[in-house]
Amino acid sequence: MKCEYVETPLSIELQNPRLMWQITSPFNAARQVAYNIVVASSKDKLQPETADIWHTGIKNSGDQLVYYSGNTLMPHTKYWWKLEVWLNNGGSVTKESWFETGKMSPSDWTASWITDEYDTAYAPSPMFRKVFDVNKPIASAKCYISGLGYATLSFNGKSLTKNSLDPGFTDYNKRVLYMTYDISSILKTGKNCIGVQLGNGWFNEQTPTVWNFHQAPWRKRPQMICEMHIIYKDGTKDIIQSDETWKTSTGPLLFDNIHIGATYDARLEQKGWNTINFNDASWKRATVTKATAPIIEAHIMPSATTTDTISAVNVKKINDTCYVFDMGQNFAGVPFLQIKGAKGTQVKLRHAEMQYEDGNIDQRNISMHLRPRNAREVIQSDIYILKGEGTETFIPPFTYHGFQYIELTSGKPISIADVKLQALKMHSDVKEQAWFNCSNSLLNDIYAICKNSYLSNLFGLPTDCPTREKNGWMADGFMVQEAGMINYDSRNIYAKWVKDMVDAQSADGDVPGIVPTSWKWDSEWAGPIWDAAIFIVPSLLYKYSGDEESMKNIYTTAKKYLEFATTTENEKGLLTKGLGDWLYYKAITPVDFMVSCYYYNDNILMAKMANILGKESEAKRYEEKAVKIKDSINKYFFDPVQVSYGNKTQLSYALPLYMNIAPEQYRKQLAKNLNNTLAANNYSLDFGFIGSMIVPEVLSDFGYAESVYKMVTKETLPSWGYWIKNFNATSLFETWDVNRNIGDASRNHPSMGAISAWMYKTLAGINTDDDAPAFKKIIIKPAFVSGLDFVDASYMSQYGLIKSSWVRNGTTISVKVTIPVTSRATIILPGQEEQEIGGGDYKFIVKEADVKTK
């Protein structure tokens, strides 16, 4: 049972939140035939006859996602809900859960935003504290807090946050997020102390970069707002809120920057600063300031946090003051340093994806976008100054890096025996929900590096790299969204990103290539393919989770964008400018052809959104526009004699098939020509970001999965396998030939990672049916490619676990399938009639002869 895609959420802000559930049953072909929902203000009222909030009554329906439509929900309130479902076999089951509301409107905040006396140029991080009384037994207590850019929270000296990258990054002039913590078991009777430390994050980017976030219109000194709502067992309530009575100071955190790192002088620690007995006489009163945005809403997506601890696989001594640690994999995170040394010794930790031959780190590929103001501002570098008190621990807050290697340099000679350096892997803490394995170890390795790069670039929004940029490039994001949503429960991150897109639209209707944007750097030149995220991201959210709300949120923005796009058409009714197949290998697919195809697809997706939202008349208008664009594309780019598009690149053949632009009578021949082009190139790929998503899917859809398999498993340049076999890659690279321009090639870019979705959709054959979102209807159509002896895949969909596995047994192939109990599936296997099955476990036998004949 979930509310807004989260189990027992603490801060629901919608008056009509979505309630959803998943059913398991040992009976094949079971299905839900009815449900009954009861919502009450307390658990003891959770009966149909006593429910005081909502009671649906028995609904004869198979729906497993229902909008709440009961009494008005109040802020800061816990609601219990009970669900009873009936199956077609006569069985029924009842379960209970709860959700809590947060701030239902901005007026629900009574606290003030506070900061200290300094301006944006001041580097040391502000700390805040407040001592308050709790003199009665507590029934429940919540803390609602927003710290801009980031905040860590503690009570009575104990940290409540295991991460330092909350709340999520937004356009702080338009929207800010707040966190909700249950502190019921943390507060004690008597005096308590709350401690908050703020970091700059994206809110106060002090070091210039080419992206100009240091000039963002929202930029201010870090600030915070906080309310603690305490409900006592006697029914009375109390609110402790941020105001000018809070005390503030600075301490050992002298500098923090999202691109550079942190400087921490342990000699300046104020021991016990967040405890009740600390003497804060020297601390100053906080300063009340203004909110930066009209919207403050709950952060309900997974937090960016530590998920693993990584130990070095090798340590190389450069000299008496310098060591280089090889962590064995390229990932995103921060160092975890434990060290002994003399007071005042300065230790610097620099992070890199590459090494020189002599063992020193190489930062050439990650430093080009930084515009440092001084010698301290070196990309991905943390500084710790020892206090000289035994073993000291340092984890840089309010930042993260992308790296495999850490260089440790000390101001004084240091013994490696006095150093323990590990690393903390960090990313949005999304739950893994899919698993893939096959008989080809290289394919498994490719799958693994796809997942690693996806996670390395998931920090409250999908980013391009965890090193030099950390930007939400729109096309990079949507290209791996499907793969990401298969592998991980990242739905709420993309839903939040859709709101960021709304906030990023300019007055003329255009949208930037990166979201959020600084508004001081022009990324609009990225063009229509990158802009297409405003249509693709909500469409995939609907496909994989049934999310209509993201479509509602983006609809006006998308409508305004299409109005803007018409002003950029040429005389043919097509578009001409923007980025194309970024970082292609050799073949350059024409940009005007590509952006026009995406323009067509924008209108198709807009029409689908309009139909889903009940705007049929508007949908018809977008459908008619799409027809005009398609006709123009076919008139100016299609050669019916050669049966080709553009300049006959692999992507030129694939794109009009992928988007259903090619005339029906030419589609099979066009796909055949694409396959012939690939075969003529010795099954070597020749495309960039966009092609890596589209070409494999199109070939597989037209029966050429064997060709894709040959392409994917090649170990020569260009290929995924080339990176692994020649560079021992543990992450995806930005470009096929990373030696072509070493100084500008990220070693951890997720953009080529859609191939992991291909493994599920083609090799395992797990696909959604367009007739029903979120795998309510499923198509199982595995590809039994030669060279593979088995494939084993599973995916936890919204309706339950889907499995598809197959193994070769001489002249036959054994296929096993599991379908969620309330879903339906179509099974498509060679030599057999299509079968419609219900939920449950099934086995099938396929003859090898039928596979080869097909």
Side-chain angles (χ1 to χ4, degrees), residues 473-760:
W473 282 98
M474 299 267 269
D476 302 52
F478 76 65
M479 281 188 292
V480 293
Q481 180 185 353
E482 184 173 37
M485 290 187 69
I486 290 172
N487 285 312
Y488 299 98
D489 183 9
S490 50
R491 179 264 164 202
N492 281 351
I493 291 175
Y494 289 104
K496 175 263 184 186
W497 200 35
V498 166
K499 294 182 179 180
D500 292 334
M501 296 175 194
V502 173
D503 293 342
Q505 187 169 43
S506 56
D508 63 359
D510 201 1
V511 292
I514 59 173
V515 172
T517 183
S518 70
W519 295 98
K520 298 296 181 179
W521 180 76
D522 175 21
S523 64
E524 292 178 354
W525 47 262
I529 297 177
W530 269 247
D531 301 343
I534 66 175
F535 304 95
I536 295 172
V537 173
S539 296
L540 285 172
L541 278 167
Y542 178 76
K543 177 179 180 179
Y544 278 87
S545 67
D547 176 15
E548 295 182 13
E549 292 304 306
S550 289
M551 289 185 171
K552 294 176 184 177
N553 289 335
I554 202 72
Y555 191 83
T556 300
T557 299
K559 185 175 182 179
K560 187 176 180 181
Y561 173 81
L562 289 179
E563 292 170 357
F564 162 79
T566 62
T567 68
T568 67
E569 293 178 355
N570 64 10
E571 69 281 358
K572 302 171 185 176
L574 302 175
L575 306 184
T576 60
K577 296 179 180 180
L579 296 179
D581 192 22
W582 186 243
L583 294 177
Y584 51 83
Y585 181 56
K586 290 182 179 178
I588 307 174
T589 304
V591 169
D592 54 351
F593 164 65
M594 290 187 64
V595 297
S596 294
C597 288
Y598 271 87
Y599 186 31
Y600 163 81
N601 198 52
D602 291 346
N603 281 274
I604 288 295
L605 294 180
M606 187 67 176
K608 290 181 179 179
M609 284 198 288
N611 278 319
I612 290 168
L613 300 179
K615 303 175 185 291
E616 289 81 5
S617 61
E618 293 188 25
K620 184 177 181 181
R621 187 168 71 250
Y622 294 117
E623 289 166 355
E624 292 171 349
K625 177 66 174 180
V627 170
K628 291 180 180 179
I629 298 171
K630 177 195 284 191
D631 290 345
S632 194
I633 291 172
N634 286 324
K635 178 179 180 181
Y636 292 105
F637 293 108
F638 179 54
D639 183 342
V641 177
Q642 297 289 329
V643 191
S644 65
Y645 281 84
N647 58 347
K648 301 182 180 179
T649 64
Q650 294 173 10
L651 183 54
S652 292
Y653 283 110
L655 188 56
L657 290 171
Y658 181 82
M659 293 182 172
N660 201 26
I661 292 171
E664 183 62 36
Q665 66 269 31
Y666 294 103
R667 288 175 61 80
K668 288 185 178 180
Q669 185 60 49
L670 195 64
K672 183 177 181 180
N673 291 350
L674 166 60
N675 187 63
N676 291 341
T677 299
L678 180 65
N681 199 38
N682 195 27
Y683 294 98
S684 290
L685 63 85
D686 196 359
F687 43 68
F689 281 14
I690 305 298
S692 68
M693 175 182 66
I694 290 175
V695 173
E697 181 161 333
V698 168
L699 283 167
S700 299
D701 286 347
F702 282 86
Y704 298 107
E706 292 272 359
S707 297
V708 179
Y709 179 72
K710 292 177 183 178
M711 176 183 72
V712 174
T713 55
K714 289 185 76 70
E715 298 177 9
T716 54
L717 182 67
S719 68
W720 294 269
Y722 171 76
W723 295 335
I724 292 172
K725 294 301 180 181
N726 291 273
F727 296 87
N728 296 315
T730 57
S731 53
L732 298 169
F733 294 173
E734 181 180 13
T735 184
W736 299 116
D737 186 0
V738 293
N739 286 327
R740 182 184 299 174
N741 187 359
I742 291 177
D744 190 16
S746 163
R747 298 292 180 96
N748 197 344
H749 240 71
S751 308
M752 308 285 196
I755 199 65
S756 68
W758 172 83
M759 296 178 196
Y760 282 97

